Amino acid sequence: MIAVNFKIYENTFGNGVLELAKICKKVMEKTGVKIVPVVSVVDARMIKEKLEMEVWIQNVDEFFEGAKSGSISPVQAKEAGIDGSLINHSECRKNPGTIKKILKAWPKKFVATVCLSSLGQAEGWAKNIKSDFMAYEPKNLIGSKDRSVASEKPEVIKKIVEIFPKVPILVGAGIHSAEDVKVSLKLGAKGILISSYIVKSKNPEEKLMELAKCFKK
Ligand code: G3P
């Protein structure tokens, strides 16, 4: 599985988000590898309605309903047809108590992906939480063009896979080659969470194809 985090890069503004999501869908259909656009709340419903594909958002808050202006409610997102969300991305961090509070009242059939930036988190507060996916992304490698989670932290990927034997692990940060994907999968990850290599590329379709092919047996 490939989760493509669109972040709020400029080329996904306006129509750009639809174009990139269409490419995700096209590559998914061509390769049979699941690809999920992880988009801003501003665009999520539109992508869902126009493309009828699985869509996640990049963040939800700990408020589910009520007088909480500006908050992103997981329940509201689910009701709007969105399929899931990241929680605790390094660029949108939450404290462990808040993450547990969010997960406790999490809507059914809404996919939760808790992001971790270190082994310490995996061994500590995250060890017993319930999440559909866990994503390991070392913060200092996010956006890197020459170093990745796969090249720099293979032993941590392996340990995190061992810590959560029942939870599919995604890995991300600096992924920029087929080799990165192959190494990650070999270490036990079930997929990748990727952004700049795809979103900022002049040819995202080609890059996605290159990575999706690594999932084939
Ligand atoms: O959520 C994905 C992300 O943080 C990794 O970013 O640009 O290193 O692929 P990037």
Side-chain angles (χ1 to χ4, degrees):
M1 170 191 175
I2 302 179
V4 182
N5 186 349
F6 288 31
K7 303 203 175 180
I8 52 166
Y9 284 127
E10 204 179 359
N11 49 326
T12 67
F13 291 0
N15 241 354
V17 67
L18 189 57
E19 293 314 309
L20 188 55
K22 275 184 191 165
I23 289 172
C24 292
K25 189 172 181 182
K26 186 174 168 188
V27 175
M28 174 163 60
E29 286 170 352
K30 270 191 179 170
T31 60
V33 175
K34 182 169 171 175
I35 301 179
V36 180
V38 184
V39 305
S40 146
V41 276
V42 173
D43 294 312
R45 189 169 186 161
M46 185 265 289
I47 298 297
K48 184 72 198 173
E49 287 173 355
K50 290 209 178 200
L51 301 185
E52 295 180 349
M53 67 190 298
E54 183 165 340
V55 174
W56 297 353
I57 50 179
Q58 298 161 10
N59 175 53
V60 284
D61 295 311
E62 63 272 36
F63 307 114
F64 288 68
E65 184 275 333
K68 295 290 174 191
S69 303
S71 300
I72 305 170
S73 157
V75 174
Q76 188 182 24
K78 164 86 191 339
E79 295 267 324
I82 309 310
D83 300 285
S85 180
L86 304 182
I87 308 166
N88 195 43
H89 191 282
S90 285
E91 292 152 3
C92 197
R93 289 196 64 178
K94 303 209 175 285
N95 67 48
T98 304
I99 296 165
K100 287 178 188 167
K101 186 177 163 194
I102 297 174
L103 290 172
K104 217 170 160 191
W106 195 256
K108 287 202 172 78
K109 295 188 176 164
F110 189 61
V111 180
T113 299
V114 172
C115 301
L116 306 173
S117 59
S118 69
L119 181 59
Q121 292 181 356
E123 290 172 331
W125 60 262
K127 203 169 173 189
N128 295 315
I129 62 171
K130 273 184 84 180
S131 179
D132 298 294
F133 291 89
M134 303 292 280
Y136 168 55
E137 295 197 326
K139 191 177 177 190
N140 63 319
L141 297 171
I142 292 177
S144 172
K145 292 192 173 93
D146 52 2
R147 297 186 314 139
S148 76
V149 63
S151 64
E152 307 303 306
K153 301 282 182 186
E155 72 295 341
V156 181
I157 297 177
K158 212 169 156 208
K159 281 196 183 134
I160 288 185
V161 167
E162 284 165 14
I163 292 171
F164 301 102
K166 293 188 178 144
V167 185
I169 304 297
L170 306 179
V171 296
I175 289 184
H176 57 269
S177 68
E179 183 60 19
D180 283 336
V181 180
K182 285 179 192 159
V183 169
S184 303
L185 296 179
K186 205 168 170 199
L187 292 165
K190 292 286 181 253
I192 58 166
L193 176 55
I194 188 165
S195 184
S196 49
Y197 184 65
I198 304 298
V199 183
K200 294 177 86 177
S201 165
K202 290 206 170 79
N203 193 341
E205 184 174 337
E206 184 184 88
K207 306 278 190 219
L208 256 184
M209 278 300 290
E210 171 200 3
L211 303 188
K213 280 180 183 162
C214 303
F215 289 79
K216 291 221 160 166
K217 300 252 153 73

